Structure formats: C-alpha cells, structure tokens
Amino acid sequence: MTLTPIHATGPSRGRERTPRPRRYLMCRPEHFEVTYAINAWMDPAKPVDTQRAVMQWERLYDLYLSLGHAVNLIDPVPGLPDMVYAANGATVVDGKVFGARFRNAERASEGPAYLDWFRAHGFTDVHEPEFINEGEGDFLVTENFVLAGWGFRSTPEGHLEAQEFFGMPVISLRLTDPRYYHLDTALSVLDGNEIMYYPAAFSAGSRAVLENIFPDAVRVDEQDAEVFGLNAVSDGHHVILPEAAQMLAEQLRRRGFEPIGIDLSELLKGGGSVKCCTLEIRA
Ligand code: ARG
C-alpha cells in the first residue's frame, strides 16, 4: 500500500537552508570509561583516554556555542560512565519531558538523574515512564512525527506511551543489526520532515514504511553508517557529524546543507558520537 508521501517542503536540491537556534543539554565526560559492554562497539579490554574524550567533547560543545545555540550542562555522576550520552536522558517536545527508562541495569540511575535536572530547571510537565525507552537514542522528532526505534533497547509499549504523552503520531521502526542498536545510529532528522537513514539497519517492513512516508530521504551507504555518520545533529543548515563520514558530507552539501565534521573517536568506544552526546530541548 502506498501512503501519501511527506515531501520535504520545496525542492530539496541546492535549496537555501536556514539555521534555527536550538537549546541542547550535554554532560561532560569526566567519568567516561568503558567498564561494561552493552552494545557491539564497547570492549572493556580496550583502553579509553578520558582526558582525550573530554577534549573532543569540548570541541563539540564550543562548536554549538559558536553556531549560536544554547547549551545547558548536567553534572556527570561518578559511576555512570555512559551519562555523557545525554540524548538517552529524555525526549522533550513543546516543553513536555518524557523521561527515559533504561534496559540495562548499568544505566538505570541515569533516568531519574535526568528527570531531576528537568524538574530543577523549571519543567513541570514531566512524565515518569512505565515502559522501557532510551530517550532520543530511539525517539527522533520530525515536524509531524516521532520516529521510534525498537528491537534492541526501547519497546513498542514505550512508543505507545510516548504517543499518548505527546499527542503526536509515533511511527515504530524495527532495528535488526546489533551495530545500529539505537535509532539515532541509523537515522537522523535534517529539517522539518526531511531525514537521512541507512536502510540495511531496518527490517523489510520498516524500510517500506520509511520509503512510503519519506520518499525524499537521503539514503546513506554502509561506509558512512559504520563510522556513525548518521549520529548527526542538524540545526536546519549546519549538520554536525563524525568527520570520517566523507561521502555523506558530500551528499548533504549537494542538498544545500553545510556539513561540519568532528572527531569524537574516544566516545565512539562507548558506541556513541555527536547525536548521542546531545539532547535537544524543544521548548
Ligand atoms: N554505551 C551507551 C549504550 O550502549 C551508548 C549510548 C549511545 N547513545 C545513543 N544515543 N545512541 O547505551
């Protein structure tokens, strides 16, 4: 069946792109290390240079500020090395905060830590989740939809819970490749209803759904996906992504975006990059 496709407004090739200032929440990787393995990228036997992780992270933080974005910081908690991946902490739309509930015990305390931050910073519409969801790791917000990943971490029940809370249609997408265990490793929102994704990370049915709804999407090759090229953050004009994703950067340039490559190699050892480190606060 063919649904009415959502076309990105206006011709997507070479069109003028307008950046919109954003508000982000980040967590300095002061306690970052890899002491357990809960995804295919983590290897506790491989040394991690925490100082280098902090330096690389600071470049991302400075970059956001130089682009005119506001960045809030949450205090890192000792013993929660994955807290640097702030995207997982919650999902925020229209000032409504949908808390995270982690699948793995190692990260369980991060959910309440992030919710406390939001409560302490004036957010009153805060939802404590009943079912497992890992925040913006698996929920990506376009103009009209919440795209939601399941298969490894977040659950379909969590998707329905989010749909009820936000009152937005949630589209469940099944991830099938353990290297792409969160939706934000396989798909990224560029602007409005314009997205990019790596088709092979999804089940056949979910691929068909994406083709139906987003016929204009940027399809990303394996070489760019496996260096976390899709773990990107866009402000509608600038797209911050891992610098190794060279072909993808060229695809984005042809679409009128301005790709900015950055090196987060230490944080890649935990299975995350640009987007994982960035929670968008949509007020
Ligand atoms: N080590 C973390 C985990 O496996 C990495 C999370 C990456 N974050 C993301 N938004 N994909 O949970």
Side-chain angles (χ1 to χ4, degrees), residues 38-39 42 82 85 87-88 107 137 153 181-182 184 270-271 276:
I38 55 172
N39 68 54
M42 300 173 86
D82 276 339
Y85 304 113
N88 299 127
R107 300 196 68 185
R153 301 290 182 84
Y181 60 95
H182 273 146
D184 72 353
C276 297

Side-chain angles (χ1 to χ4, degrees), residues 63 67 238-243 249 252-253 258-262 274:
L63 179 60
L67 294 173
H238 311 96
V239 182
I240 323 299
L241 77 174
E243 63 184 6
L252 292 171
R253 228 172 264 124
E258 188 180 332
I260 303 177
I262 188 157
V274 179

Side-chain angles (χ1 to χ4, degrees), residues 67-101:
L67 294 173
H69 303 305
V71 184
N72 292 127
L73 294 174
I74 179 172
D75 287 334
V77 176
L80 295 177
D82 276 339
M83 209 176 153
V84 58
Y85 304 113
N88 299 127
T91 305
V92 187
V93 183
D94 282 339
K96 289 164 71 83
V97 181
F98 188 74
R101 189 180 187 98

Side-chain angles (χ1 to χ4, degrees), residues 4 64 96 106 129 142 163 166 173 192 194 205 215 222 238 263:
T4 307
Y64 286 141
K96 289 164 71 83
E106 292 90 338
T142 76
Q163 174 162 278
F166 289 126
L173 300 166
E194 201 170 350
E222 181 169 14
H238 311 96
D263 175 22

